[in-house]
């Protein structure tokens, strides 16, 4: 389907009016009676031809890109393609040829690589020529649509005849003889490859004699010419389909047949093993394994998800509930501190007097106690009964109690602070599993959408497509400066094709971001054949600069 259709093209680029809807909604104007139907038929014919050409051009471009990628591959990549990516029969034939070449010539890969390069080159050349022809015709069709729209609005009586003659002439450029090379790509690989050449002759029906020189056509003649163009278009479609049947890239199932075969064999083996252990064979192994697996999943969930989360929740709430316990512990420590201070002060007053005890700090008083203890310990029995030795020992016991309580309080605070960390560590395996699963799902979704996705890679692909449009416009400008008008038409057709692809990729995202109205107008301005390349290059630079659906997000 062509997203960048003629109705939109006429409405936005050429005359700011939708021709078809005007005839349908507002009745006859400019023309009367049967002429209205004739103009609608021509408009629909232009759109039909454009749709068909765009579809075939897309098919040719897609296959050409595939063969170009294979042509740019290394020596071993071409051999791998010839042996592994063309189906089981080609795999057997390729292995047989490698063995024969190894026995006869001692260079098993050289001939196979030459065959691969030759076949890939032939397909690349034909598809590139076909792409040029289709782009040339497509560009002429769009230019004729531009002229036809202006002629109808200016009420030129020869608008229909000129449009039909131009459209017929554009299709005539595709007629001729196409030689199809039927070689080892699809056939048997022999030591001396024999190429089979089949040809397709594309011959269109010509306009009735004298009609092309006539200016005022009747409605019957216009309708007859439109039907003739449709028949020629059908013949062209059949010819292109036959060509692409021989020169298209291998199907996905053919390219990955080895992987699919391995998967199918593995599936058969697994299915047989499951049937062997299933109730169909009288075994309860699967039931037991399912029960054990379910128990393991439940245990894992409970141990690494439920319990850690509940623990984190309890710790967060218990922090507030246990504040009074922490206050009580601090009060106990404070009581010990006050008791030790009083004991030290009383001991110092007895030895040094009240004045010294009032001025001394706790460290100084403790130093006095230790000095007295050292003196008293020299005569322990005598001083134990009649000195201050016992008193000094009790003070030291109180100091030891205070140190133990302080250490226990700090340790308790450390453990409470790390309870949440321990719970998070217990939940870490489940968290890692969830992150890996989410990453795999996101990667699969982004890969499946390609350039239509929302990620950075998709935006970059859309930006590269716009860069291809800009490169085509630059080439068009260069050819215009060199006066090569024949090649300019082909580049204009490729610009239309690339804009159609770009239109399709950005529409949904631009609508979501609210940029579609402005971006749509810029795309249609790029398709307008009237503005020069400089104006169009300014538009591409504007699109690359301001639209969110094109600019890749900057990495954080």
């Amino acid at each position: 389907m062509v997203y960048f259709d003629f109705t939109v093209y006429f409405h936005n680029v050429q005359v700011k009016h939708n021709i078809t809807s005007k005839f349908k909604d507002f009745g006859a104007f400019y023309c009367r009676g049967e002429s209205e139907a004739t103009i609608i038929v021509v408009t629909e014919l232009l759109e039909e031809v454009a749709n068909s050409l765009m579809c075939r051009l897309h098919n040719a471009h897609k296959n050409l890109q595939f063969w170009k990628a294979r042509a740019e591959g290394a020596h071993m990549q071409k051999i791998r393609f010839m042996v592994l990516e063309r189906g089981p029969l080609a795999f057997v034939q390729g292995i047989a040829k490698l063995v024969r070449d190894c026995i006869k010539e001692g260079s098993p890969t050289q001939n196979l690589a030459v065959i691969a390069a030759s076949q890939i080159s032939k397909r690349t050349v034909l598809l590139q020529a076909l792409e040029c022809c289709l782009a040339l015709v497509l560009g002429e069709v769009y230019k004729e649509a531009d002229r036809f729209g202006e002629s109808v609005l200016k009420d030129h009586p020869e608008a229909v005849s000129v449009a039909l003659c131009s459209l017929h002439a554009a299709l005539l450029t595709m007629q001729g003889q196409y030689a199809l090379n039927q070689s080892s790509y699809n056939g048997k690989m022999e030591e001396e490859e024999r190429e089979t050449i089949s040809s397709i002759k594309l011959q269109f029906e010509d306009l009735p004699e004298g009609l092309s020189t006539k200016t005022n056509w009747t409605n019957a003649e216009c309708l007859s010419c439109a039907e003739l163009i449709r028949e020629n278009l059908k013949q062209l479609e059949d010819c292109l389909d036959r060509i692409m049947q021989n020169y298209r890239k291998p199907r996905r199932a053919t390219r990955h047949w080895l992987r699919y075969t391995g998967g199918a064999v593995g599936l058969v083996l697994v299915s047989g093993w499951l049937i062997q252990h299933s109730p169909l064979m009288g075994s309860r192994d699967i039931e037991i394994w399912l029960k054990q697996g379910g128990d393991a999943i439940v245990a894992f969930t409970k141990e690494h998800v439920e319990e850690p989360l509940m623990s984190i929740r309890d710790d967060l709430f218990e922090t507030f509930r246990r504040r009074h316990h922490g206050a009580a512990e601090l009060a106990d420590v404070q009581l010990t501190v006050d008791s030790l201070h009083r004991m030290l002060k009383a001991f110092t007053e007895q030895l040094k007097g009240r004045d010294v005890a009032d001025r001394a700090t706790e460290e100084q008083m403790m130093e006095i106690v230790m000095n007295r203890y050292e003196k008293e310990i020299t005569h322990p029995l005598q001083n134990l009964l009649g000195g201050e030795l016992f008193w000094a020992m009790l003070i030291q016991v109180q100091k030891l109690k205070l140190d133990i309580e302080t250490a226990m309080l700090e340790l308790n605070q450390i453990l409470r602070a790390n309870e949440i960390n321990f719970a998070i560590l217990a939940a870490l395996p489940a968290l890692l599993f969830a992150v890996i699963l989410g990453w795999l799902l996101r990667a699969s979704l982004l890969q499946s959408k390609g350039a239509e996705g929302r990620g950075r890679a998709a935006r970059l692909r859309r930006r590269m497509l716009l860069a291809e449009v800009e490169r085509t416009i630059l080439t068009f400008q260069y050819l215009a400066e060199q006066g090569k008008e024949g090649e300019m038409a082909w580049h204009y057709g490729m610009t239309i094709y690339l804009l159609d692809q770009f239109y399709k990729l950005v529409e949904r995202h631009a609508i979501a971001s609210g940029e579609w109205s402005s971006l749509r107008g810029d795309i249609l301005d790029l398709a307008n054949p009237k503005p020069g390349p400089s104006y169009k290059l300014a538009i591409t630079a504007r699109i690359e600069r301001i639209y969110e659906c094109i600019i890749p997000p900057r990495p954080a």
Side-chain angles (χ1 to χ4, degrees), residues 164-165 207 211 217 220-230:
L164 291 175
C165 288
L207 294 175
L211 188 61
W217 290 11
E221 289 173 338
C222 293
L223 296 177
S224 176
C225 183
E227 288 301 321
L228 185 144
I229 292 175
R230 281 194 172 91

Side-chain angles (χ1 to χ4, degrees), residues 214-449:
K214 185 178 179 182
T215 56
N216 294 325
W217 290 11
T218 65
N219 291 328
E221 289 173 338
C222 293
L223 296 177
S224 176
C225 183
E227 288 301 321
L228 185 144
I229 292 175
R230 281 194 172 91
E231 292 176 2
N232 290 341
L233 179 64
K234 182 65 170 59
Q235 187 178 355
L236 175 62
E237 291 174 349
D238 295 338
C239 175
L240 294 177
D241 291 342
R242 184 176 174 186
I243 293 175
M244 296 310 302
Q245 185 67 24
N246 289 273
Y247 285 81
R248 62 176 174 80
K249 64 181 181 180
R251 302 181 187 277
R252 182 179 179 86
T254 303
R255 298 199 306 271
H256 302 288
W257 71 272
L258 195 61
R259 183 188 306 173
Y260 293 155
T261 302
V265 171
L267 182 61
V268 169
L269 294 177
V270 171
S271 300
W273 181 80
L274 289 175
I275 292 174
Q276 184 180 0
H277 293 275
S278 67
L280 296 175
M281 303 299 294
S283 174
R284 298 182 65 251
D285 292 343
I286 294 180
E287 182 181 352
I288 295 173
W289 294 335
L290 289 175
K291 184 178 180 180
Q292 292 176 350
D295 295 340
I297 293 174
V298 171
F300 177 85
T301 304
K302 184 176 181 180
E303 181 179 355
H304 294 285
V305 179
E306 182 180 355
E307 291 182 354
L309 293 178
M310 296 296 292
S311 177
I312 293 173
R313 185 200 67 180
D314 295 340
D315 290 339
L316 291 175
F317 284 102
E318 284 298 319
T319 300
F320 299 99
R321 296 175 184 172
R322 294 185 299 185
R323 284 182 298 177
H324 63 280
H325 296 295
E329 293 173 355
L330 289 174
D332 294 338
V333 174
Q334 188 61 39
L335 289 175
T336 305
V337 171
D338 295 340
S339 176
L340 178 62
H341 183 75
R342 289 192 297 269
M343 294 174 66
L344 289 172
K345 188 173 182 180
F347 189 86
T348 304
E349 286 181 359
Q350 183 172 345
L351 292 181
K352 302 295 185 177
R354 179 178 295 272
D355 295 337
V356 176
D358 291 338
R359 292 193 304 270
T361 62
E362 188 170 334
E363 289 76 11
Q364 294 174 344
M365 289 188 292
M366 194 65 198
E367 184 179 358
I368 294 172
V369 171
M370 295 306 298
N371 292 334
R372 187 63 180 179
Y373 175 77
E374 292 174 1
K375 292 180 180 179
E376 295 284 334
I377 200 67
T378 55
H379 303 286
L381 294 177
Q382 177 182 352
N383 294 328
L384 187 62
L385 297 176
E388 288 82 11
L389 180 60
F390 187 71
W391 195 357
M393 292 175 63
L394 291 176
I395 292 175
Q396 292 186 60
V397 170
Q398 187 70 8
K399 182 65 169 67
L400 180 61
K401 177 186 176 184
L402 176 61
D403 294 340
I404 293 174
E405 288 180 353
T406 303
M408 292 298 294
L409 181 60
E410 294 177 354
L411 180 61
N412 191 22
Q413 292 175 348
I414 293 173
L415 292 176
R416 289 178 181 175
N418 285 276
E419 284 179 356
I420 296 178
N421 295 337
F422 296 149
I424 293 175
L425 288 176
L428 190 59
L431 181 62
L432 290 176
F433 176 77
V435 169
I436 293 174
L437 182 62
W439 179 79
L440 292 176
L441 290 175
R442 179 177 177 272
S444 62
L445 291 176
L446 290 179
Q447 184 177 6
S448 62
K449 291 183 178 179

Side-chain angles (χ1 to χ4, degrees), residues 30 54 100 125 188-189 219 230 363 372 374 525:
Y30 297 120
M54 191 74 76
R100 289 197 302 269
V125 170
K188 182 179 179 181
M189 287 187 300
N219 291 328
R230 281 194 172 91
E363 289 76 11
R372 187 63 180 179
E374 292 174 1
D525 285 341

